[in-house]
Amino acid sequence: MEEEFTFEPSTWPYFINWVSLTSFLLTLFFSVISPLLCPIISPKYYSLGDQKSHCNTMLSSTIHAVVSSILSTIVLAFGLMGTNRLFSTSPYGFAVLHISLGYFVADFLVCLWYPKLRNNVSGMTHHLAAIISILICLFFHGKLMFFAVYRAVSELSTPFVNLFWFLHSYNLKNTKWYVFASAGMVITFTLCRIIVIPWHWYGLLAMIFSPASFANNFIPLPYKFWSCTTYLAFDIINVYWLSKMI
């Protein structure tokens, strides 16, 4: 029988461990050194105005996207979380969640520092939804972890988005890299974030309303509510962002 969860100090590693803390500190570190590196890459950095704040967060964003998307793809492709989509205690799955938790919390704080990013409602809402969805999965010790890790695969599109923004902002539109970034951005964003929406919701709702989820209140109603709410926010924002790309 599933033991009732109690919030004891011994459960804190589910929220904060060396993985999430390292990810948090590295994100802050890269956000600090980016203003020093960007001018070296191109003197045009100084002419970006308030867009410099976006440039300052691209390095940490790209690194997180590459690490989390590759790791989550490996975890899913090789079945490292097992076959039970209702529940998993896979350390690899937890690693993906902790890496993303540390990044999103740190980047959310960085965005609060810059007015341009702070006023980006869709971006801030996306980060907040990501933090909430990861925290509740950790709080309930890996229940519905499969869907949380699967969402991390969507970060595969982020490097292309950042590259496109960089080339566009630095007025490098007449280059082959710009065409490559544009095509890569739209294709990966559509494949990783949009086309999979029906399949994701079918699998999620099948688990949420399965008899096993109701047995002994295995998946509590508040968790079901917040899971659906945060994932719905993701999908609305992603559809909105795709409409801005096309």
Side-chain angles (χ1 to χ4, degrees):
M1 179 180 296
E2 177 71 12
E3 294 183 0
E4 182 179 357
F5 177 78
T6 56
F7 190 74
E8 300 290 341
S10 60
T11 67
W12 289 6
Y14 284 97
F15 297 90
I16 302 174
N17 63 12
W18 67 270
V19 178
S20 55
L21 183 59
T22 300
S23 178
F24 176 85
L25 294 176
L26 284 177
T27 300
L28 293 182
F29 172 73
F30 288 125
S31 299
V32 170
I33 67 170
S34 287
L36 303 177
L37 295 177
C38 290
I40 298 176
I41 297 174
S42 174
K44 292 183 179 180
Y45 170 80
Y46 294 109
S47 64
L48 293 179
D50 57 4
Q51 291 292 336
K52 290 199 295 288
S53 59
H54 193 169
C55 188
N56 295 340
T57 62
M58 282 201 326
L59 179 58
S60 59
S61 171
T62 302
I63 293 175
H64 163 260
V66 171
V67 173
S68 64
S69 61
I70 291 178
L71 183 57
S72 58
T73 300
I74 293 174
V75 169
L76 294 173
F78 290 94
L80 299 181
M81 291 195 303
T83 59
N84 188 348
R85 296 184 179 179
L86 193 65
F87 174 70
S88 175
T89 57
S90 167
Y92 305 103
F94 278 121
V96 172
L97 298 184
H98 278 294
I99 289 172
S100 292
L101 177 62
Y103 163 75
F104 280 116
V105 171
D107 199 59
F108 185 83
L109 296 177
V110 171
C111 290
L112 287 176
W113 178 262
Y114 294 110
K116 179 71 176 181
L117 300 180
R118 184 170 64 240
N119 295 328
N120 182 355
V121 177
S122 61
M124 296 297 284
T125 302
H126 174 272
H127 275 34
L128 188 59
I131 294 171
I132 293 174
S133 65
I134 295 172
L135 282 177
I136 58 177
C137 185
L138 295 176
F139 185 84
F140 288 102
H141 297 189
K143 295 177 181 179
L144 300 178
M145 184 197 289
F146 173 85
F147 301 96
V149 173
Y150 183 81
R151 285 282 177 167
V153 178
S154 66
E155 289 297 320
L156 182 63
S157 63
T158 301
F160 293 98
V161 173
N162 289 342
L163 179 59
F164 172 83
W165 182 92
F166 177 84
L167 296 173
H168 181 82
S169 299
Y170 281 83
N171 197 25
L172 297 173
K173 301 177 183 179
N174 298 322
T175 63
K176 293 182 179 180
W177 279 105
Y178 187 80
V179 176
F180 168 76
S182 301
M185 175 181 67
V186 174
I187 292 173
T188 57
F189 198 95
T190 302
L191 290 176
C192 297
R193 298 183 185 234
I194 305 301
I195 291 181
V196 297
I197 289 177
W199 178 87
H200 178 272
W201 277 100
Y202 174 80
L204 177 64
L205 294 178
M207 290 296 101
I208 285 180
F209 292 105
S210 66
S213 74
F214 287 100
N216 299 318
N217 197 31
F218 187 71
I219 305 293
L221 182 60
Y223 186 12
K224 295 178 180 180
F225 171 79
W226 283 110
S227 291
C228 291
T229 300
T230 53
Y231 290 143
L232 181 61
F234 282 139
D235 293 335
I236 292 175
I237 292 170
N238 285 331
V239 170
Y240 168 73
W241 282 346
L242 182 63
S243 69
K244 302 286 285 186
M245 296 178 188
I246 301 176

